[in-house]
Amino acid sequence: MDTLNLLGDIKEFLYHCEFAKGKSLNTIKSLRIDLYRFNEYIIKCNDLKKISDIDGFNFREFLVELQGCDIGKRSLNRKISSIKSFFKYLKDTGKIKSNPAQLIVAPSYDRGIPEVLELEEIVRFRKAIELKNYHSLRDRLIVELLYSSGITSQELLGLGEDVFNLESREVVVTSFKKYRTVFFSERTKNFFKRYIVAKKEKLGSKYNKEILFVNGSGGRLTDRSLRRLIDRYGVKAGITKEISPHSFRHTFAVHMLEHGISLLQLQKLLGHSNLDSTKIYLEALEKKRRKELSKEIEIKW
């Protein structure tokens, strides 16, 4: 029974809730929305082969993704409750031996001011990626694209080659069936060209232009692999602050505000449906400026 047929199990659970538990139609509708969205996320995790492979890391990444899409506190807590109920059902019916969802803790709604990378840290991160093979070109393109476009890790991993317009330096990204156009740097464009050449030479007959960022076997790079490579280069670069793929999105947002972009323009680039989600970067910019001012005063005195 331990196979990854999450959608089938979700449908069984919804049937159980409606006819065995007598839940209201509104409750069933909410459960369906929440669990179908979780299933969409799981489908993108190519390293998951069976239900028991789903662990706390996947739940954390899913919650981070939801927060990046402006999910409100009440909606977020409801989704957590739906997932917990579903996995309890899987455990009670013997479909899984242990329940990984029982320890889910909702992230704080007030996430605080985002941590951003300094320019010199970006430079060190770049230098940590030694351009000596196909994989390093892929990793460098990942960093340049995250930093210059502000897209999320899920949007990045879902990219194919055809959504790029190199002449205008535009790329169309997709997030939960919503599309938007973002822009990338000239540096990104150059690394894109170099990576595609190396990718074709490396993969040969396995080359697939519908998957931009591939793993060693030619399949789509996973969330877990992306996080691990960011961690690895961060350590190599000597960056002591905690960073993740999302750190480059935060850094992009603050640097764009620093260079004069309006809050509304930034909201559009980030794909925020709620302007309040974008306003937090004004606080991050103010924090950055206070830190820089403090350094200047220390030097002068």
Side-chain angles (χ1 to χ4, degrees):
M1 297 295 292
D2 192 16
T3 57
L4 193 56
N5 177 27
L6 207 59
L7 186 57
D9 290 321
I10 289 172
K11 290 180 178 179
E12 287 184 13
F13 171 67
L14 294 174
Y15 184 90
H16 171 77
C17 289
E18 183 173 2
F19 296 102
K21 292 291 187 180
K23 300 288 186 181
S24 70
L25 291 180
N26 283 337
T27 298
I28 299 302
K29 180 180 178 181
S30 296
L31 287 168
R32 182 181 294 109
I33 291 172
D34 297 341
L35 295 175
Y36 274 32
R37 185 157 190 180
F38 180 66
N39 184 59
E40 287 181 10
Y41 167 78
I42 291 298
I43 288 173
K44 294 182 288 188
C45 300
N46 296 330
D47 54 342
L48 301 177
K49 304 303 180 185
K50 52 186 184 297
I51 294 175
S52 59
D53 287 340
I54 300 174
D55 58 18
F57 176 86
N58 300 117
F59 293 126
R60 288 194 298 273
E61 285 292 290
F62 178 62
L63 296 180
V64 168
E65 180 173 295
L66 290 178
Q67 287 184 315
C69 295
D70 308 322
I71 296 297
K73 182 178 181 180
R74 180 177 299 179
S75 180
L76 182 64
N77 287 337
R78 191 195 73 192
K79 284 174 169 53
I80 291 173
S81 177
S82 296
I83 291 172
K84 284 188 171 183
S85 297
F86 173 57
F87 275 84
K88 182 179 183 302
Y89 166 79
L90 293 178
K91 174 69 165 55
D92 292 342
T93 54
K95 292 181 179 291
I96 56 176
K97 293 181 179 180
S98 60
N99 181 0
Q102 62 185 352
L103 298 179
I104 297 178
V105 177
S108 173
Y109 184 66
D110 297 322
R111 290 172 288 169
I113 301 175
E115 188 77 71
V116 301
L117 295 167
E118 302 292 338
L119 284 177
E120 60 93 10
E121 290 175 318
I122 294 290
V123 171
R124 280 159 47 198
F125 202 99
R126 285 169 171 155
K127 289 182 179 179
I129 307 174
E130 299 178 36
L131 302 176
K132 56 185 180 182
N133 55 35
Y134 150 80
H135 284 108
S136 59
L137 280 172
R138 178 202 66 187
D139 298 348
R140 182 62 183 272
L141 175 59
I142 284 173
V143 170
E144 296 299 342
L145 188 55
L146 285 173
Y147 174 51
S148 68
S149 68
I151 61 177
T152 67
S153 58
Q154 286 298 320
E155 290 168 343
L156 176 120
L157 295 173
L159 291 172
E161 296 174 23
D162 288 343
V163 295
F164 283 78
N165 185 324
L166 295 183
E167 183 177 349
S168 59
R169 301 207 315 270
E170 297 178 350
V171 57
V172 179
V173 296
T174 308
S175 179
F176 293 111
K177 300 180 181 179
K178 292 182 180 180
Y179 300 87
R180 74 180 189 282
T181 300
V182 297
F183 307 91
F184 52 88
S185 65
E186 186 69 27
R187 192 195 305 261
T188 303
K189 172 182 174 180
N190 293 334
F191 276 106
F192 180 93
K193 291 180 177 179
R194 293 175 61 182
Y195 168 64
I196 296 302
V197 171
K199 178 184 172 187
K200 290 179 178 178
E201 293 178 353
K202 174 72 175 179
L203 298 179
S205 60
K206 292 183 178 180
Y207 169 74
N208 181 359
K209 67 179 181 179
E210 293 183 3
I211 303 176
L212 177 58
F213 295 113
V214 298
N215 55 29
S217 60
R220 196 177 296 276
L221 194 69
T222 65
D223 292 322
R224 186 169 300 182
S225 296
L226 175 61
R227 181 175 287 274
R228 284 174 178 169
L229 74 86
I230 294 297
D231 286 342
R232 183 173 70 252
Y233 289 123
V235 170
K236 188 176 180 182
I239 298 174
T240 56
K241 65 182 62 169
E242 185 176 346
I243 64 171
S244 70
H246 217 66
S247 300
F248 294 94
R249 178 173 166 90
H250 294 326
T251 304
F252 162 83
V254 171
H255 287 179
M256 290 298 287
L257 287 173
E258 200 169 22
H259 286 81
I261 192 173
S262 72
L263 199 62
L264 288 175
Q265 288 174 317
L266 181 61
Q267 178 191 11
K268 185 175 181 180
L269 288 177
L270 294 176
H272 287 164
S273 58
N274 188 336
L275 188 60
D276 288 338
S277 298
T278 316
K279 287 180 179 178
I280 195 169
Y281 292 113
L282 290 174
E283 298 179 42
L285 176 58
E286 182 60 29
K287 177 183 177 181
K288 181 176 184 292
R289 286 173 173 168
R290 288 197 305 268
K291 185 177 180 180
E292 291 171 350
L293 179 59
S294 178
K295 286 182 179 180
E296 288 184 15
I297 292 174
E298 184 176 347
I299 293 172
K300 289 180 180 179
W301 283 91

